[in-house]
Amino acid sequence: MLTLLVTNSLRLSQESLQTQAVQRNTELKILFNAALAAPMAEHDYATLNEILTEIRRGEGIVYMVLTDRSGNKVASAGWDEPGALPKSNGNLDFSQTSNNHFDLAIPIKLAENTYGTLSYGLSSTFLKNAQSHLLQQSLLIAAIEIILSFVLLAMLGYWLTRHLSLLTKATASLAMGDFNAVLPVKSDDEVGVLTQTFNVMSAAIRSRIDALTQSEAQFHAIADYAYGCEGWIDQEGYLIWVNPSVDRITGYSPLECVAIARFPADFAVAQDRDLVSRTIHSALQANTGGNFEFRLQRKDGEIIWIAVFWQPIYGPNQEHNGIRTSMLDITERKNAEMALQRALTDLKRADEGRQQYLNEIEEERARLLALLGVMNLGILFVNANNQVKYYNPTFLRIWMIPEDIELVGHSAEEVLTHSTNKLSRPDHFSKHLLNVLETHEVSDSFEIQMDDGRVVTQLSYPVRDHDGRFFGRLWIYEDVTRERQTAEQLVYLAERDALTGLFNRRRFQDELTRLLSDSDRHGRQGALLFFDLDEFKYINDTFGHRAGDSVLIRVAGEVAVLTRKNEVFSRLGGDEFALLMPDASEKDAEILAERIVRAVSQIPFRMEGQNLRLTTSLGIAHYPKNATSAEDLIAHADAAMYQAKDAGKNTWRSYRPELDASREMVNRLTWNDRIASAFEKSLLRLHFQGVYYTHNGQLSHLEVLIRMIDETDESRLIMPGHFIPYAEKNGKILDIDRWVIRESISLLASSELIPSLAVNISGRSFDEPTLPHYIAELLKEFNVAPDRLWVELTETSAISDLHDAERFIEALRKTGCHTCLDDFGTGFSSFAYLKHLKADVLKIDGLFIRDLPNDRDNQVFVKSIVDVARGLGKKTVAEFVENAETLNMLKQFGVDMVQGYHLDKPQEHHPALVCLKADKISTDIR
């Protein structure tokens, strides 16, 4: 019996320990899965390693290895052996273990998704030790029992068996899932300790399971029975959880939805798929909620409307974990909206039909009253007996007839007797009226001059019935006073300088052409006077552009008084003036020149407390004595002006060929023909140089540069510095500017992949008011976005003619083009002009860039330009970047864009024009 008792005790203890090991392993599975599932789903391998290490610190875990779905090891603790992991037998029978631990494995799951497998070794040492210890105690007790007495052995066996029986039954109940078993502690021996441990373990497991059960029930109560489809999309755009409502809305199960790569975009109809993808991507980048609607195709093929609402999801440490989406089926609402729209459409059609029926009843009356009553034309309808049948309010307003006077029924002759205004030529009007009444045809437009200065046009239309019988006349009056004034003002603005009111360069060219034509036709002579103000740049730089403007206005007013009515006085730009004298002898021109020089020198100016006197240098060229064409006459008058400057200024000179026989004059005359020939023979070419962003080396845009092919040697290119100065002198620069602009816009239109282009505009174009309109029309004609065109203007030209430059830049900005102030910094006082010149970009003059690393003053100046530009919201460009050291320094200063030979050289076939990326250049810049 003692042997049986010992054997039975060993068996029961082994079963209890076996059950305890199983229970412990079950608990560990839950804990392991709870601890590892979330980091495993987020691929947070560092956290996984920390968790495994922390778990293994406790007793009983030999090793832990975590692998992903593909079997790759992602985290481990206590396992350093090479080769494959031991195969999990799933058996916790410690009697069959040979290595003192059990090799086990469990899957790691979250929301029914398996993310990997945890392999671990559960120590069996404590079980074996407990068994061995129990065996020893039993044998010792058996020996003592045999020695003492059979009765004592029997009682002790019964005592031990009774407690072990209760523990065995409780253990069996626990193994069956009954966690409510509580054993009374009736002794302090090992069985009592084991009983206490069992009770604590049972209570802990019961508490944990109750909490998990309650939490799971609450979660499913909220998520599973939500009206809409609730989902969780991670930062990568993958759906990681969705509630069962998705089946009701889409027809797809949650598992099918999670398996979809792009949810819900892959369920959208083809037309909405890109919209859904873009919106979900934007939602993942945003930190606020939003919503959108799209059409979804259910699993059964039905198309429904879905409204999606999203909110960002953040973890306990405010890390962004994706977005929560709520999808609602709004098909019924959409159908109701469409039904309502159809109903409104039907109602509108019915109303239109009713309105059409009413219109047919009184078609003529309603049409006349609706149309004539709102017209800005004065309408008077008289019948065949010349009696008034209808008039509108505009007729009363034009003729200033009081509204309380009733004209219907009166004769047309009586109508004008009520007018409070008088005709300036009543006899002329009466004659025209009689001529109109004699015929039943449409009259010509007749202008009526009023005493108050207004101009009213009159038209007469006979009115006939369907059979062609005349039954009345319609008189139409329109007050065109404002239109005439506007037209005259536009003509004035197109021909006048905005600052001085003198004729501008355009009108000057027209008058010069007319003068030469008349002189050739009638054999007459004429003269051209050119003059500018000596040291005028000093006034602008020292006292500012407002002072310079006031000087120009004063000089223009003083000289205008000296000119005769038939003489044309013009401002060509800046401080340059020209005066055409038709039918003037050489003596007449010289007398007027002397008077102009003397008048300018006697004008007193007071600026900032200083009294100043300005002088002028004037040149005279006679026609046909000194020239046979307009270009030559301008060139000779300009040369004579510089002869006056060479003579000491404050004087005038008539053109003398012997003083202008230098190579410069020969070149000027030669270049006139060469430029004209270049246009005729298409010898002008465009070259391009890249402008790059400083911070990343990417191409911003290309600057357009003009070249001319040498007519005598087509392999040689002529740089713009050789012919542009002469083109500016003879006016050809305006044609060159337009040619470059048109070619550039045409190139932009050839491909959307071509980057933006920057074209240079001459200062002579400032007084060309039609140029911004010309640019706008070209952009519209070629369908090119205006922001792809940059227009560059030199700072010196802009400041010398600030008023025109300000107007010109503003007109360009209205077209949508970018504007750039080139060669900025040539005069430090120009900082003040940035307030008036609203350019988008400042291009720093290359004078300050060439030796930047070695010139401290230039560094300070460039940094100042960048700071001022940034403060005014403008970008900066540095040209002439010729080495890496200069480029790095410009990066430090914060310059936005750079260009120069270090980056690339001007070339006709730039890589960007054939849509090639400048990868090598970008790498060099970085």
Side-chain angles (χ1 to χ4, degrees), residues 815-875:
T815 67
C817 300
H818 296 288
T819 55
C820 176
L821 203 57
D822 198 2
D823 297 336
F824 186 80
T826 51
F828 195 83
S829 62
S830 59
F831 272 119
Y833 301 134
L834 292 180
K835 179 179 178 182
H836 304 280
L837 300 177
K838 306 298 183 182
D840 304 306
V841 181
L842 304 182
K843 180 176 285 189
I844 304 172
D845 190 82
L847 173 68
F848 305 104
I849 306 299
R850 286 192 177 93
D851 195 30
L852 185 64
N854 303 318
D855 193 322
R856 175 64 180 171
D857 293 340
N858 284 352
Q859 295 174 17
V860 174
F861 191 82
V862 171
K863 196 172 187 309
S864 299
I865 293 178
V866 174
D867 292 341
V868 171
R870 186 179 293 112
L872 295 175
K874 304 178 187 297
K875 295 188 179 297

Side-chain angles (χ1 to χ4, degrees), residues 239-274:
L239 179 70
I240 60 177
W241 175 84
V242 67
N243 69 347
S245 295
V246 72
D247 194 352
R248 173 175 52 81
I249 294 177
T250 67
Y252 293 91
S253 68
L255 290 178
E256 290 176 314
C257 294
V258 171
I260 294 297
R262 296 186 309 161
F263 178 87
D266 286 349
F267 292 163
V269 298
Q271 299 91 326
D272 294 350
R273 198 162 296 159
D274 289 341

Side-chain angles (χ1 to χ4, degrees), residues 93-158:
D93 188 357
F94 60 88
S95 63
Q96 299 180 7
T97 61
S98 60
N99 51 4
N100 295 326
H101 66 267
F102 304 109
D103 295 312
L104 303 172
I106 62 169
I108 303 301
K109 296 183 177 181
L110 179 63
E112 301 303 326
N113 290 326
T114 300
Y115 292 95
T117 303
L118 175 64
S119 300
Y120 61 97
L122 183 64
S123 176
S124 63
T125 303
F126 75 99
L127 297 175
K128 290 185 176 181
N129 290 340
Q131 184 183 33
S132 176
H133 180 70
L134 182 61
L135 177 61
Q136 293 174 3
Q137 291 293 327
S138 298
L139 292 177
L140 180 60
I141 292 172
I144 294 173
E145 286 285 41
I146 293 173
I147 295 171
L148 295 178
S149 68
F150 177 80
V151 176
L152 183 61
L153 179 62
M155 292 175 64
L156 182 62
Y158 172 75

Side-chain angles (χ1 to χ4, degrees), residues 544-568:
H545 74 281
R546 295 189 181 278
D549 288 349
S550 64
V551 168
L552 295 174
I553 294 172
R554 181 72 181 277
V555 169
E558 294 291 339
V559 176
V561 174
L562 305 178
T563 60
R564 294 181 297 183
K565 186 176 182 180
N566 66 328
E567 295 170 345
V568 180

